[in-house]
Amino acid sequence: MSLTPPPCPVCFPQMSWHSQYRSSKFRHVFGKPASKENCYDSVPITHSVQDNHFCAVNPCFIAVVTECSCGGAFFVIPLNQTGKLDPHYPRVCGHGGNVLDIKWNPFNDFEIASCSEDTTIKIWDIPKQLLTKNLTACKKELMGHTRRVGLVEWHPTAANILFSSGYDFKVMVWNLDTKESVIMSPVRTITCHQGVILSMSFNTNGSLLATTCKDRKLRILDPRAGAVLQETSCTGHRANKVLFLGNLNKLLSTGTSQWNNRQLAVWDQDNLSQPLFEMDLDGSSGVLFPFYDADTNMLYVVGKVSLAWEGGGCLSPA
């Protein structure tokens, strides 16, 4: 097989040659697995069927929800403590049901919130020294939901303000800056949803809260007033997870198309009438989890491994 070289630009100045391949700075970028001693090995991760992260990381710790014979529990492991986990490593436990979500306080690296099927939210103080025994005494307990609590989210700019959503279709706003160890009622309850809330996301300054719901609607709320600012019915794109894209004034949602393909959609946060961009990824059934790095304008999407798409990818929305 012979290949004909492109025309010489000196001999044929009127002709120009263009490559048929589109260049990409990510074309030859591949992830390299870390060595075993730099991984967290033998961590018994929960087998819950809920579509949550079950993991939270801050500059000091990684927290992972685990299986527990009675009630719910999670590990808190220092970031530098890699390698095989001791089978008797102490847990943070105290819930009467499975733990469904955990989130670190952005203002305090040693405080974490957890929510559970037992309808409660608990706030935990993690000791600065390593845990030597199971931590069972929480700092605060929040009791207001009537059904299991699926999500918790800290306000990004207001300290000690926590949002929770439950299977009672309610979003509750909690003020933790009180002396009471048990808080029985939230400062505000948002009741605009007609189904289970699937995800929540704040914008950079915390003035807007985006939610997706099983009623197939994508909403943007005013978290202070609890009012719905915008709402759209996702018929062609059934949104599951939603994420604000930093200061780009855009939202990203992951879900499925009308043909049940896994799909990404980008929205203008000021106009949710229709998505700005949609992209089908594959035909797998697992939920796609988006993560956005505002410093590099990079979007990372993680899902179950499939033949068409190897579990994770990165896109640039800018």
Side-chain angles (χ1 to χ4, degrees):
M1 181 179 179
S2 62
L3 297 177
T4 303
C8 176
V10 176
C11 301
F12 301 92
Q14 72 277 13
M15 299 181 64
S16 61
W17 179 78
H18 298 281
S19 171
Q20 60 178 322
Y21 299 105
R22 182 173 62 88
S23 62
S24 171
K25 61 183 177 180
F26 304 112
R27 185 178 177 186
H28 301 292
V29 175
F30 301 95
K32 182 180 179 181
S35 58
K36 196 168 184 178
E37 58 269 18
N38 292 322
C39 296
Y40 303 93
D41 195 15
S42 301
V43 179
I45 302 173
T46 178
H47 291 90
S48 175
V49 296
Q50 305 294 323
D51 292 326
N52 286 349
H53 295 154
F54 298 118
C55 178
V57 183
N58 72 4
C60 299
F61 302 103
I62 177 172
V64 182
V65 178
T66 182
E67 292 293 329
C68 190
S69 58
C70 53
F74 58 94
F75 291 110
V76 174
I77 308 169
L79 286 184
N80 58 5
Q81 189 176 318
T82 55
K84 189 173 182 179
L85 188 70
D86 187 337
H88 303 291
Y89 191 85
R91 293 171 168 85
V92 179
C93 49
H95 281 287
N98 292 332
V99 175
L100 299 182
D101 196 17
I102 48 177
K103 292 287 170 58
W104 290 102
N105 186 342
F107 296 90
N108 184 352
D109 289 339
F110 297 91
E111 185 172 275
I112 189 170
S114 63
C115 62
S116 167
E117 290 181 346
D118 64 6
T119 73
T120 68
I121 303 114
K122 294 181 185 288
I123 311 299
W124 307 87
D125 268 339
I126 306 301
K128 294 185 178 181
Q129 63 275 17
L130 297 180
L131 289 173
T132 57
K133 60 180 181 179
N134 288 347
L135 179 61
T136 58
C138 64
K139 178 182 179 181
K140 289 183 183 294
E141 184 174 17
L142 316 180
M143 304 175 66
H145 288 281
T146 57
R147 298 182 66 185
R148 56 185 173 178
V149 187
L151 297 169
V152 288
E153 199 73 45
W154 294 91
H155 194 279
T157 58
N160 294 320
I161 299 297
L162 182 74
F163 284 64
S164 65
S165 68
Y167 281 65
D168 52 8
F169 310 162
K170 297 177 181 178
V171 176
M172 294 188 177
V173 186
W174 305 88
N175 179 15
L176 306 183
D177 195 15
T178 61
K179 295 181 180 180
E180 292 81 5
S181 58
V182 178
I183 303 176
M184 299 297 295
S185 58
V187 294
R188 181 170 293 105
T189 301
I190 302 172
T191 59
C192 61
H193 299 87
Q194 304 301 316
V196 176
I197 296 96
L198 301 176
S199 68
M200 299 188 294
S201 176
F202 280 103
N203 65 344
T204 305
N205 60 18
S207 62
L208 299 174
L209 175 68
T211 65
T212 55
C213 181
K214 272 198 172 181
D215 61 11
R216 295 189 176 184
K217 290 186 178 181
L218 174 64
R219 295 176 173 89
I220 295 180
L221 312 175
D222 179 351
R224 287 182 176 271
V228 179
L229 302 179
Q230 288 196 67
E231 179 181 280
T232 185
S233 296
C234 302
T235 53
H237 170 79
R238 295 190 294 274
N240 190 295
K241 302 296 179 183
V242 66
L243 188 68
F244 274 99
L245 297 178
N247 293 318
L248 299 179
N249 293 327
K250 292 180 176 63
L251 288 168
L252 177 116
S253 63
T254 63
T256 55
S257 69
Q258 57 184 343
W259 307 110
N260 286 329
N261 291 323
R262 295 203 290 190
Q263 190 179 61
L264 302 176
V266 178
W267 308 77
D268 182 352
Q269 72 177 38
D270 298 321
N271 182 7
L272 296 182
S273 58
Q274 61 181 6
L276 300 173
F277 170 77
E278 289 181 336
M279 182 174 69
D280 287 5
L281 295 178
D282 57 33
S284 298
S285 59
V287 173
L288 297 173
F289 295 92
F291 301 90
Y292 181 66
D293 182 359
D295 294 329
T296 60
N297 278 351
M298 288 296 298
L299 172 70
Y300 298 85
V301 183
V302 181
K304 291 182 179 179
V305 175
S306 68
L307 293 177
W309 190 57
E310 294 297 327
C314 55
L315 302 168
S316 178

